[in-house]
Amino acid sequence: MMLSVNELKFMYRNKNVLREIGFSIERGQVIAVLGPNGVGKTTLLKCLNRILKPMHGTVMLDEESLLDLGTMDIARRVGYVPQRVETGRLTAFDAVLLGRRPHIGWDVTPHDLAVVDAVFIRLSMGALRLTYIDEMSGGELQKVAIARALVQEPKILLLDEPTSNLDLKNQVDILTTIREVVRDHKIAAIMTMHDLNQALRFADTFIFIKNGTVYIHGDRDIVTPQVIEEVYGLPVMIGELSGVRCVIPGVCKITLERNHAYTPP
Amino acid sequence: MHTEEGTIPDDYLHYTRQKVMYIAAGIVLVFFLFILAISVGAVAIPPVDVLQTLFGIGASVKWERIIWNIRLPQALAAIIAGVGLAVAGVAMQSILRNPLASPFTLGISSAGAFGAAVSIILLGTGRIQSTVANPVSISNPYLTTIVAFLFCMLATAVILILSHVKGASPEVMILTGVALSSLFSAGVMFLQYFSSDTQLAAVVFWSFGDVGRATWDILPLMAVVVAGATLYFLFNRWNYNAIDAGDETAQGLGVDVARIRIVGMTVAALVSAVIVALLGVIGFVGLVCPHIMRRIVGDDHRFLIPGTAVCGAALLLASDTVARTIVAPYILPVAVITAFMGAPIFIYLLFRGYKR
């Protein structure tokens, strides 16, 4: 057991956002946090590295209580990629170098530069090194944000919807990269997601959140039409396409009615 | 992470070295402007004599008085005030995530002007002299300065308390500043409406920022405050880069954004307040120098803060030199010229876009 979260509680303006969250994860896993909009997925991520301060509960990372560490100490253990990153007149190399912030004393050392360079090679982004980030596409920018979290040399990577705003190819690229990095470096990645199909393909463990608690937590076998309908309030079908599980919203009847309705008179 | 794969990339080192060169070139420029500023004026002093007098070599005694008592303090004040206003501006633009932030956005200068007006009109510290060189003077400069400074700090305190209550949100800080700025400007107008001609002239005179007001008495104070603030901002350069990447990214990198914001604002406001209280309102430097340097060295605060400091010194020194010579024998206050000098450069840079 690498990270264990117990009885985490967070209130926002007297409203219980997270009532009682508890789960634990293993090294080398990709965890998908799933649930409808506004259920507190982002809040949960932010509570894990204390961007938001939980009212109650513990987050243990390898015998260490994360919530009791200093902000810089947390940043040396947990990398965070928010949904939105700002750009500026900065080269990709400098933008990623910023990820060394928790390790930098007065100034960067040759070691910091070497780590950044290694991550550029690792993510095959060498050609982008001196590109200004305000001239980058959404996919490239997301890669920069992930690279920035990687140079923090974290044990846990938190990603808030890493594939929102990306085209299909970039989605697959980014998730494949995350998958490989997690495996190769024996870290863990926790990401919030909306696309159940991508989650099924790239995550090992699934956490469904409902009413401020973990509705169900486990491997891909827990992802059933019943669970999804309970959590999202929408009936779905799950089928297999060349051995890959796919989730499609609606039931057969609705689909047919729709098709019928759209047929020109 | 697999650090053994990484090397220090040459192209990146070349790229950073280039930025250092721009800043070094700026420092050389400031040095030449400094000598020029001392050498020109009502009496032209050859630059060689300026150097000799400054370094105490060669016996050019005849210039000693002019240089040591008049031109050197004025040139030093231009450099110090330029650096102070410019670094306060660059820090505030990052802290408030707003390209229009400057020491003036927050109403600090208006507060200073209002303080001076209160002192001159209500406490009677202004009068008119009939000499050509200095037609209006403030009869009690110390009281005027102190009252101006108190009002600057009052404005700062209001902004800080409000933003502390509201969780250090940049929007609250800026909007409060804009509101205070209007409030104090209205206050100045109100006082001016009920003042005598003499007092009115003294208030207007005070509000034209002039580095010529600097004397050896106040230079050390200015230098210490500006140097301390510049060091503080430099020390936080990585935090400002992190805040530029977004509050959440910064927090993920271990930066205490709310604290950096409040402390940074306090330091920026203090520098601005000291300069405004001592020299009067000098606009434009704090707003435009950061943008000029952004277009030359980029947004990386490792280079942007020192670059902006050099730019501020150069702009104010050059402006003051022009102000003293353009309509000689009359001497204009530097505040009149800064925008004249800076705006064309700035507009040119906006047209040209970023340096590649």
Side-chain angles (χ1 to χ4, degrees):
Chain A
M1 202 174 308
M2 183 194 193
L3 181 87
S4 72
V5 178
N6 289 304
E7 293 179 28
L8 205 65
K9 180 180 172 173
F10 181 80
M11 283 169 75
Y12 182 71
R13 289 189 184 150
N14 297 326
K15 194 179 150 232
N16 270 321
V17 181
L18 303 176
R19 283 191 304 158
E20 203 191 332
I21 296 275
F23 61 89
S24 63
I25 59 174
E26 306 287 338
R27 213 174 282 278
Q29 281 190 341
V30 174
I31 294 93
V33 177
L34 302 163
N37 283 329
V39 79
K41 300 190 295 293
T42 303
T43 308
L44 170 60
L45 283 197
K46 287 183 180 172
C47 282
L48 295 183
N49 68 342
R50 222 184 54 195
I51 288 180
L52 297 174
K53 289 181 183 66
M55 322 295 288
H56 182 74
T58 57
V59 179
M60 300 295 290
L61 174 67
D62 292 337
E63 320 292 307
E64 244 179 340
S65 174
L66 261 189
L67 301 180
D68 296 329
L69 294 175
T71 47
M72 280 294 168
D73 287 320
I74 296 175
R76 283 185 209 110
R77 291 161 177 77
V78 183
Y80 177 63
V81 182
Q83 230 176 90
R84 222 172 92 85
V85 284
E86 306 284 335
T87 64
R89 198 63 180 175
L90 219 58
T91 61
F93 197 91
D94 285 324
V96 174
L97 183 60
L98 183 60
R100 296 297 295 170
R101 173 75 194 92
H103 303 272
I104 291 171
W106 169 251
D107 208 354
V108 286
T109 61
H111 173 68
D112 294 319
L113 297 177
V115 172
V116 172
D117 189 51
V119 169
F120 269 89
I121 295 168
R122 179 72 189 72
L123 302 188
S124 332
M125 295 164 55
L128 288 176
R129 250 199 314 246
L130 293 185
T131 310
Y132 288 106
I133 57 171
D134 58 359
E135 293 171 354
M136 280 184 163
S137 71
E140 290 168 336
L141 205 57
Q142 186 66 324
K143 276 190 183 170
V144 167
I146 290 171
R148 174 155 58 210
L150 287 178
V151 301
Q152 278 176 260
E153 301 186 272
K155 292 176 177 172
I156 303 265
L157 206 51
L158 306 176
L159 303 116
D160 196 0
E161 288 178 35
T163 53
S164 60
N165 307 323
L166 296 188
D167 64 46
L168 210 54
K169 180 175 184 304
N170 271 311
Q171 290 184 13
V172 173
D173 274 359
I174 294 276
L175 291 171
T176 309
T177 305
I178 293 170
R179 175 88 265 167
E180 286 171 4
V181 168
V182 165
R183 258 191 208 144
D184 295 354
H185 300 288
K186 299 272 178 292
I187 62 176
I190 303 178
M191 45 190 190
T192 63
M193 292 183 86
H194 279 305
D195 189 334
L196 294 167
N197 289 311
Q198 300 286 31
L200 277 167
R201 284 190 74 173
F202 291 96
D204 307 291
T205 307
F206 303 83
I207 298 175
F208 283 92
I209 309 276
K210 191 190 176 188
N211 293 334
T213 56
V214 175
Y215 179 74
I216 191 166
H217 170 207
D219 63 12
R220 65 191 62 234
D221 293 337
I222 65 158
V223 186
T224 61
Q226 290 84 353
V227 168
I228 293 171
E229 187 167 355
E230 282 289 322
V231 172
Y232 288 92
L234 176 82
V236 297
M237 299 183 293
I238 295 187
E240 279 199 8
L241 207 61
S242 315
V244 180
R245 264 206 225 188
C246 302
V247 180
I248 302 164
V251 288
C252 290
K253 207 175 81 205
I254 293 178
T255 328
L256 283 174
E257 277 171 6
R258 273 262 177 80
N259 281 343
H260 184 70
Y262 280 104
T263 321
Chain B
M1 229 45 52
H2 290 293
T3 51
E4 59 275 14
E5 292 167 15
T7 51
I8 300 167
D10 286 334
D11 51 351
Y12 177 71
L13 287 184
H14 174 74
Y15 164 83
T16 51
R17 221 174 286 131
Q18 213 179 0
K19 300 190 177 218
V20 175
M21 290 307 292
Y22 283 121
I23 297 168
I27 293 172
V28 173
L29 175 70
V30 169
F31 178 76
F32 281 112
L33 284 172
F34 179 63
I35 300 301
L36 180 72
I38 296 176
S39 90
V40 303
V43 186
I45 306 173
V48 180
D49 290 15
V50 172
L51 282 170
Q52 282 179 342
T53 311
L54 286 181
F55 290 110
I57 38 173
S60 47
V61 190
K62 53 179 176 173
W63 307 125
E64 231 166 50
R65 274 236 166 121
I66 300 177
I67 290 178
W68 285 101
N69 293 351
I70 301 167
R71 295 203 188 155
L72 182 60
Q74 183 156 358
L76 285 176
I79 290 176
I80 295 168
V83 169
L85 292 170
V87 295
V90 75
M92 285 169 54
Q93 287 173 8
S94 172
I95 293 168
L96 298 177
R97 334 182 98 279
N98 190 315
L100 288 176
S102 79
F104 300 86
T105 320
L106 290 184
I108 292 165
S109 62
S110 311
F114 180 72
V118 166
S119 168
I120 290 164
I121 295 166
L122 299 182
L123 308 175
T125 59
R127 68 185 151 96
I128 284 202
Q129 285 178 343
S130 53
T131 59
V132 176
N134 200 0
V136 186
S137 87
I138 311 288
S139 61
N140 190 339
Y142 293 106
L143 186 59
T144 313
T145 302
I146 289 167
V147 176
F149 181 76
L150 286 179
F151 273 93
C152 289
M153 292 323 283
L154 177 73
T156 311
V158 170
I159 293 166
L160 288 177
I161 291 167
L162 248 163
S163 61
H164 184 72
V165 172
K166 286 283 169 192
S169 118
E171 290 81 14
V172 170
M173 285 187 181
I174 289 201
L175 294 177
T176 313
V178 171
L180 285 178
S181 187
S182 312
L183 182 69
F184 283 121
S185 302
V188 172
M189 285 196 280
F190 179 82
L191 287 175
Q192 283 177 339
Y193 200 80
F194 297 104
S195 64
S196 67
D197 294 355
T198 340
Q199 290 168 330
L200 186 63
V203 171
V204 172
F205 165 79
W206 188 91
S207 65
F208 289 155
D210 184 3
V211 288
R213 282 181 218 170
T215 60
W216 285 111
D217 299 340
I218 63 165
L219 277 173
L221 170 70
M222 274 174 61
V224 167
V225 172
V226 169
T230 308
L231 277 177
Y232 171 80
F233 292 140
L234 272 175
F235 185 75
N236 280 291
R237 63 202 185 287
W238 286 104
N239 296 337
Y240 298 145
N241 282 347
I243 290 176
D244 278 356
D247 279 15
E248 293 181 351
T249 303
Q251 286 169 323
L253 292 170
V255 177
D256 186 345
V257 177
R259 197 181 58 90
I260 296 286
R261 206 161 254 154
I262 293 217
V263 177
M265 283 307 296
T266 314
V267 174
L270 182 71
V271 181
S272 321
V274 167
I275 294 170
V276 168
L278 292 173
L279 303 180
V281 179
I282 301 172
F284 211 67
V285 176
L287 174 66
V288 151
C289 288
H291 288 296
I292 291 176
M293 288 321 281
R294 276 178 213 283
R295 276 156 182 80
I296 296 173
V297 300
D299 287 344
D300 186 343
H301 285 84
R302 284 184 292 165
F303 307 105
L304 185 57
I305 294 175
T308 302
V310 171
C311 180
L315 178 61
L316 210 52
L317 205 47
S319 302
D320 188 49
T321 309
V322 171
R324 288 188 294 116
T325 49
I326 193 165
V327 286
Y330 298 102
I331 294 174
L332 289 178
V334 69
V336 179
I337 297 295
T338 41
F340 270 124
M341 295 279 292
I345 302 174
F346 186 47
I347 290 170
Y348 163 72
L349 285 167
L350 281 177
F351 266 113
R352 204 194 55 168
Y354 283 96
K355 168 127 196 82
R356 294 240 40 157

